[in-house]
Amino acid sequence: MTEETIFSKIIRKEIPANIVYQDELVTAFRDISPQANTHILIIPNKLIPTVNDVTEQDEMSLGRLFTVAAKLAKQEGIAEEGYRLIVNCNKHGGQEVFHLHMHLVGGEPLGKMLTK
């Protein structure tokens, strides 16, 4: 069985977070260490450790990540100018919390995606 993460506790509201959206499939909240003017994490309510652990049964939840991202980008006023959606996978991909999550970042020019 996969270990719970801090995100599981945020979903259940056992620890405080600035939740901006929640439904039966996903939860979205502001990142506590924002990397841009807007930085929101969107997570499936089901614990999926990494992209490598996604199954066909997860398609509805993961599709919801994108529809919620578009909705939040519009609400945040960043949809028209643009934003970035980021999903990291495992250590080399930069994943720090092993509960699949999407970063919605924007509100300023973000530059190139990779600097190498």
Side-chain angles (χ1 to χ4, degrees):
M1 178 149 206
T2 304
E3 288 188 35
E4 277 202 341
T5 68
I6 190 170
F7 291 172
S8 301
K9 293 178 180 184
I10 289 172
I11 291 165
R12 293 191 306 263
K13 299 180 181 171
E14 293 174 358
I15 60 173
N18 187 349
I19 295 175
V20 294
Y21 180 90
Q22 188 169 44
D23 65 21
E24 71 282 357
L25 296 176
V26 304
T27 299
F29 53 94
R30 296 196 187 278
D31 194 295
I32 60 169
S33 298
Q35 302 299 304
N37 289 333
T38 297
H39 190 167
I40 297 172
L41 300 179
I42 309 168
I43 62 175
N45 292 341
K46 173 187 174 187
L47 176 53
I48 305 167
T50 74
V51 172
N52 295 333
D53 301 299
V54 171
T55 68
E56 289 180 9
Q57 289 75 33
D58 301 318
E59 289 178 4
M60 187 176 289
S61 293
L62 299 184
R64 184 71 56 88
L65 294 181
F66 283 90
T67 57
V68 168
K71 177 180 180 169
L72 292 173
K74 186 174 182 180
Q75 282 179 213
E76 294 287 313
I78 63 173
E80 191 170 319
E81 291 292 323
Y83 53 93
R84 186 170 291 156
L85 300 173
I86 304 166
V87 177
N88 300 319
C89 184
N90 280 326
K91 183 180 174 182
H92 284 190
Q95 186 174 4
E96 295 177 3
V97 177
F98 287 86
H99 185 138
L100 188 147
H101 55 285
M102 174 185 284
H103 298 258
L104 165 64
V105 291
E108 63 188 85
L110 298 173
K112 293 183 178 183
M113 190 162 81
L114 298 174
T115 58
K116 196 171 188 181

